[in-house]
Amino acid sequence: MRADYANAAYSKLAAAAIHRWRSTDWGRDGRYTQNGLLLVYPEDSSSAKEYARKSYDNVRQIEGDNVTFLPTQADVLSVVPAYGSTLDVAGGYVNWGSGWSDAAASVRYAKTLLDTEGRVTFRTGDVERVLYDTNGAKPKATGVVLTDGSTLEADLVVLATGAWTPKLVDLRGRAVATGQAIAYMRISDEEQRELENLPTILNFATGIFIIPPRDNLLKIARHAYGYRNPVEVPVPGASGSMVVSLPEKGVPVPLEGQDAFRFALRQLLPRFAEREFVDTRICWYTDT
């Protein structure tokens, strides 16, 4: 949960969300942890350094003294001494106003609220396609057809379908579903205590970030261009077919991604660089 962006509009939007996590019931009972975010850049990436400076300027206006610029490797190490003197970064900054949320716990909390209010009915199934009324000036969504042949109709249809949206709406040229790499490694109780209260570290040059471990699992992830999974599907609301990227469940991270994690760990946490990954997976996004 960060307001750390070079784009000021993104920063303001994220800051408003973080305020809710801090000040309402949504962030209680461990659903939000404010551990800070350490953003770093290597010596050989002027673009990452420039992005970090713009991001720093934006978030400094929002968080004030919660944000500290770290112009040297020694300054970075003063924030994360456990990473050791081999930490291969040139500088960065830390924003102690950032944190992370427990997504699963937050969804369970939302479901509890909805069940208490009793105004929402949950139906489960896989959506095959969206139904449209084509009699007006432009098509209007009226419901969905499920893969079992049943239909659900409504006055207002809202698709909150994430990376599966390109199958249901023609987003070609607008957005694409991409898979991002995540890996987990087992650490000892001593390593857990050493790392668990440190800020999340994000390398702007590579998109690699390491999240403070929980339950003796260290999580390393990357947000980059990502992977595509081309699938041929019918064009929604029209004839013919199209090829779009759609999520594929249960896919491990390709060797390219695992090698990138090893390289990043040699820069950031070299003592973990050759340790076995106990699990890897692809997390799917839809991005412009």
Side-chain angles (χ1 to χ4, degrees):
M1 310 298 293
R2 63 186 175 102
D4 302 84
Y5 293 96
N7 185 309
Y10 267 56
S11 294
K12 291 176 182 177
L13 178 65
I18 290 172
H19 174 71
R20 296 288 187 92
W21 284 102
R22 291 173 180 166
S23 60
T24 71
D25 286 344
W26 285 93
R28 298 198 175 108
D29 300 323
R31 290 184 288 272
Y32 174 69
T33 300
Q34 190 161 304
N35 64 307
L37 179 64
L38 173 63
L39 297 103
V40 298
Y41 51 84
E43 189 70 53
D44 60 355
S45 180
S46 59
S47 61
K49 182 177 181 179
E50 180 183 2
Y51 189 99
R53 173 56 77 173
K54 289 180 179 178
S55 178
Y56 168 81
D57 290 341
N58 284 335
V59 83
R60 175 78 183 181
Q61 294 183 47
I62 296 168
E63 291 288 347
D65 291 340
N66 270 339
V67 186
T68 303
F69 198 73
L70 307 168
T72 69
Q73 184 221 40
D75 293 317
V76 173
L77 278 174
S78 70
V79 175
V80 285
Y83 276 68
S85 59
T86 56
L87 181 65
D88 185 14
V89 299
Y93 74 87
V94 63
N95 175 11
W96 294 109
S98 293
W100 61 275
S101 65
D102 185 331
S106 300
V107 171
R108 285 194 295 268
Y109 177 68
K111 179 67 162 56
T112 299
L113 294 181
L114 293 170
D115 288 345
T116 300
E117 293 176 355
R119 294 186 293 175
V120 175
T121 300
F122 285 87
R123 294 278 302 276
T124 60
D126 291 331
V127 175
E128 181 64 34
R129 60 186 174 89
V130 179
L131 288 171
Y132 290 98
D133 179 356
T134 58
N135 293 322
K138 59 181 181 179
K140 172 181 169 56
T142 60
V144 292
V145 179
L146 304 185
T147 53
D148 65 4
S150 62
T151 62
L152 295 172
E153 297 187 70
D155 296 326
L156 177 64
V157 178
V158 178
L159 293 179
T161 42
W164 283 264
T165 308
K167 174 186 174 182
L168 304 173
V169 179
D170 188 353
L171 296 178
R172 288 175 294 177
R174 295 179 177 86
V176 61
T178 59
Q180 305 294 337
I182 302 175
Y184 302 83
M185 59 175 53
R186 185 76 59 188
I187 63 175
S188 67
D189 290 341
E190 181 181 356
E191 291 165 339
Q192 169 76 34
R193 289 190 294 271
E194 190 178 20
L195 299 173
E196 63 185 349
N197 294 317
L198 295 182
T200 300
I201 186 168
L202 169 61
N203 185 338
F204 266 136
T206 62
I208 298 282
F209 55 101
I210 299 175
I211 297 174
R214 289 295 181 269
D215 302 322
N216 296 90
L217 279 178
L218 184 71
K219 176 175 162 182
I220 179 170
R222 178 181 65 180
H223 193 80
Y225 288 111
Y227 306 110
R228 289 186 299 170
N229 178 42
V231 177
E232 185 173 354
V233 298
V235 177
S239 60
S241 63
M242 61 181 184
V243 176
V244 296
S245 177
L246 291 179
E248 182 74 24
K249 297 179 182 178
V251 176
V253 172
L255 183 59
E256 177 276 335
Q258 296 190 37
D259 287 345
F261 286 152
R262 299 288 182 200
F263 181 80
L265 286 167
R266 291 186 193 103
Q267 288 181 310
L268 301 173
L269 276 172
R271 57 192 159 129
F272 295 127
E274 305 308 321
R275 190 170 300 188
E276 177 187 5
F277 293 130
V278 296
D279 188 25
T280 69
R281 65 184 179 91
I282 302 295
C283 182
W284 292 89
Y285 295 72
T286 292
D287 292 333
T288 56

